[in-house]
Amino acid sequence: MALKVTVVGVGMVGEQIVSILRERNFPMKWPPRICATRARSEVLAGEGFHVEETAEGAFEGVDVVFFAGKEGGKGASVQWGKKAVDAGAICVDNGGDFRMDPAVPLVVPEVNLDAVTPDKSFIASPNCSTIQMVLVLDALHRAARIRRVVVSTYQSVSGWGVAAQEDLLKQIPHALKSLDDIPFEPTVFASPIAFNLFPHIDKFLEDGYTKEEMKMVWETQKIMGDDTIKISPTTVRVPVLVGHGEAINIETEKKLSAAEAREILANSPGVVVIDEPNTNSPRNDPLERTYPVPLDVRRPEYQDMVLVGRIREDPTIENGLNLWCVADNLRKGAALNVVQIAEGLIERGRLNP
C-alpha cells in the first residue's frame, strides 16, 4: 500500500516538501495531509490544499510525518513530535529543536543514514548551511582526515523565510534611487539587505558568535561523529533570494592535491564539481576556470546537488585546501534532505509502501 504522509507547516519549506514529494514520485497516497497552526485553504506548489489545524488525530494511521520547521516560538515538533511517534509514525524534523539531542539522530542521508537505528522513529535534519558543508567535508574526511575548517558563508534571505524575501524585494526600488535611509523591517534584519550584507544570522551568544555559526560547529561534529574536528565559522547574509554559498578552508592530516580533491568530490554522492578551464571566456584570461554561483541552482540538473568549485591548495599550511560550494537552501538545505531521509528508510525496509 502507498504510504500515508502528513506535512506539518505551510511556509517556504513546507511548500517545497509538497513539491518534492510529487516531483520524485514518493510512494504515497496523494494528497498528503497538510497541517498548521490554523485551518485554511492554501495553494502549495501550484495545487490547492485544505490545511487542517494540527491535532492528535492528524497522525493516526500515518506512516511518515514531515515537520517543515518553525511554527510559533518553537518548532511544531516540540508539541507534536512525541504524539506522532506514539501514533506509530516515523517523523523527520526540519526544525532545530532536537538536532543536538543525543537521543535523536541528525542525518544527511549521503553521509550517515546508519545513525537511524531500528529503535529510532524521530529523526532530525540539519541546518541548511551545515548540510551542504558536510556533504563536501565527509568525502575529504574519509580520504585524508580533517583537522580544522574555517568557513565563511554567504546565505540568501530565504534562509530566514518569506518575510525576508518580501523585505528585500520591497527595498530594491528605493535602493535603486538612493542608498540612504532604505526602509526595512527591523524585526527581520538589523540593517537593510538591498545592496548590502552583514555578518549576523540568528541570535548572538555570549562568546560573540551567533547561533547560526555554532550550529555549523556542533551539527557537523555530530553528523561526522568526530568532535575533534575544529571549525571556525562566520555566517553572512547576502542579498540573494535563494542559494547559499560557502568559502571553506580545510586542513587535513594527509596531504591532498587539488586534483585529488576534485576527483574525490566528483565521485561523491550529491556533489557536482564545476571547476575546469573556461575555454569560452571573453575576458582574455587563459587561466580562468569555471565555478558555481547561486543562480545555477535554478537549473534542473543542479537544483538538488551541492556544487563545488575553486578547489585549490592552500600554500600557507602543510596540508590545506580551499574551495567554494553552493546549494539550494530550500531544497537540499531543507525539504529535499528530509524527503531523502524517508527514501533511504524505504530502501532499507524501515518504511514499507
Side-chain angles (χ1 to χ4, degrees), residues 112-132:
N112 69 327
L113 191 60
D114 289 342
V116 187
T117 52
D119 60 319
K120 303 296 184 184
S121 295
F122 188 94
I123 304 149
S125 183
N127 187 46
C128 49
S129 54
T130 302
I131 290 173
Q132 70 185 73

Side-chain angles (χ1 to χ4, degrees), residues 151-174:
V151 56
S152 296
T153 72
Y154 305 79
Q155 295 180 228
S156 66
V157 294
S158 58
W160 194 97
V162 174
Q165 277 198 332
E166 292 175 347
D167 203 29
L168 170 58
L169 294 174
K170 288 177 184 177
Q171 291 173 30
I172 288 173
H174 182 100

Side-chain angles (χ1 to χ4, degrees), residues 137 140-141 143-151 224 226 228-232 248-256 312-314 316-323:
L137 295 185
L140 300 175
H141 187 57
R145 190 169 181 82
I146 293 172
R147 289 177 174 170
R148 183 171 186 262
V149 174
V150 180
V151 56
M224 295 177 66
D226 190 341
T228 69
I229 300 173
K230 297 177 181 179
I231 303 168
S232 179
I248 309 176
N249 176 265
I250 303 164
E251 182 181 0
T252 58
E253 289 187 2
K254 176 186 172 184
K255 175 72 173 178
L256 282 179
R312 59 213 190 272
E313 294 172 37
D314 179 355
T316 68
I317 54 178
E318 185 175 356
N319 300 326
L321 293 168
N322 284 303
L323 56 81

